[in-house]
Amino acid sequence: MNTKDKIIHTSISLFNEHGERAISTNHIASHLGMSPGNLYYHFKNKEDIIRHIFALYSEHLHTHFKPIEVNDDAFDHLTAYLDSLFELMWRYHFFYDNLGDILSRDENLKKAYIDFQATLLEQVRQVILGLRDNEMIAIQEQDALELAHTLKLTVSFWTPYIKARRLSGNLAEQDIYHGILKVLALFRAYSTEKSMLKMNQLREKYTQLAEQAPALA
C-alpha cells in the first residue's frame, strides 16, 4: 500500500472510531508517524481526503449495483447486494453520521453527491424492476421509485439512528446486520409465493450473522 492509500485507509478508520469532526489532519499524520507536511504533499486538506474517500464509496456502489438481467439468478443478485450493503454501511459509517456537515463544507463534493445519488436512485429502481421481472416481487412500476427511495433512506439513516439511541454513540457489526434485515423486510413486503421461501432463507441467514457478529460489550 502506497503512502496515499495508507492516509486514506487510516483516515477512514479514525473517522469511524472517533467521528469525522473530532479528527484533524494532524491526528491522521500523527497516527501514521509522519509530519503534517508530508501528509499535505499528498492531500491539500481534510476535505481533499474526504473527496477521495467518497470516490471509493461511489466506486463500490457502481461496481456492486448492476442491473438484473432476465436470465440472471435474481436471488444471487439480491444476496450480493445485501452483502455489499453490509460492507458499505460498516466501512463508511462515519460518512452517514455526519453527512450534512461534511457536504456543507465542500460545495464541489455536495454537487458530486447530489449527482451520484440521482444515478444511484435509478440503479436501485432497476434492481427492483429486475426482481419484479424475475417474478421475485410483485410491484407496480410507479411504486418501484418509491420503494427505491425508502431503501436508500433506510441505508442512509440506519447507523445515525442506532448511534443516537445509544449513550456511548458506538456502533457494532451486529447493528449493521440488523440494518440489512430492515432492508430485506422492505423487499419481503412485496414477495411473491414463488420467492417467499428464499426470502425467508435470506432472513434466516442475516439473523444468524447478526447473532454471530461482534456486539458491544
Side-chain angles (χ1 to χ4, degrees):
M1 190 181 296
N2 61 36
T3 301
K4 195 167 186 176
D5 288 339
K6 285 180 182 178
I7 293 170
I8 289 174
H9 288 278
T10 297
S11 298
I12 292 171
S13 177
L14 291 174
F15 291 161
N16 281 335
E17 183 177 358
H18 302 287
E20 178 271 333
R21 278 175 289 193
I23 298 298
S24 68
T25 51
N26 284 345
H27 290 118
I28 297 166
S30 175
H31 194 85
L32 286 165
M34 66 171 59
S35 68
N38 191 8
L39 185 146
Y40 290 134
Y41 174 79
H42 297 280
F43 296 98
K44 292 183 293 186
N45 47 39
K46 189 168 80 168
E47 280 64 42
D48 192 18
I49 295 173
I50 292 173
R51 284 187 215 111
H52 281 78
I53 294 173
F54 177 71
L56 293 176
Y57 169 88
S58 302
E59 182 182 4
H60 178 103
L61 286 169
H62 279 308
T63 301
H64 291 85
F65 282 73
K66 300 295 185 184
I68 298 174
E69 303 296 337
V70 174
N71 294 323
D72 289 345
D73 186 314
F75 268 92
D76 283 349
H77 274 267
L78 182 56
T79 302
Y81 294 148
L82 294 174
D83 287 342
S84 179
L85 275 178
F86 171 84
E87 181 183 348
L88 188 81
M89 292 169 73
W90 179 243
R91 181 167 175 73
Y92 300 102
H93 61 80
F94 82 88
F95 193 70
Y96 298 109
D97 298 341
N98 198 28
L99 181 61
D101 187 36
I102 290 171
L103 297 180
S104 71
R105 302 195 308 257
D106 190 333
E107 185 176 353
N108 289 333
L109 179 60
K110 186 170 186 177
K111 288 178 180 177
Y113 176 83
I114 291 170
D115 290 343
F116 172 73
Q117 288 299 314
T119 300
L120 179 60
L121 181 65
E122 177 58 22
Q123 286 179 307
V124 175
R125 190 181 77 89
Q126 290 300 325
V127 168
I128 293 166
L129 293 177
L131 288 168
R132 181 204 63 182
D133 293 343
N134 278 259
E135 301 179 345
M136 298 292 103
I137 62 174
I139 189 171
Q140 296 182 3
E141 188 149 354
Q142 61 266 36
D143 292 329
L145 183 60
E146 295 306 315
L147 178 57
H149 273 295
T150 304
L151 288 164
K152 286 179 76 278
L153 282 168
T154 303
V155 171
S156 296
F157 295 104
W158 176 250
T159 56
Y161 169 73
I162 291 297
K163 289 186 175 185
R165 296 170 65 243
R166 189 169 287 155
L167 286 175
S168 68
N170 294 327
L171 192 74
E173 286 187 36
Q174 188 180 72
D175 298 319
I176 306 297
Y177 280 120
H178 285 302
I180 296 302
L181 284 166
K182 300 299 182 289
V183 171
L184 181 59
L186 293 170
F187 282 111
R188 289 183 71 254
Y190 294 91
S191 293
T192 62
E193 185 176 349
K194 173 182 175 181
S195 70
M196 186 55 71
L197 176 61
K198 288 188 174 181
M199 285 285 189
N200 288 338
Q201 289 172 344
L202 277 180
R203 180 175 62 181
E204 181 62 24
K205 169 189 172 178
Y206 290 106
T207 298
Q208 290 180 2
L209 287 170
E211 292 171 351
Q212 295 166 5
L216 293 176

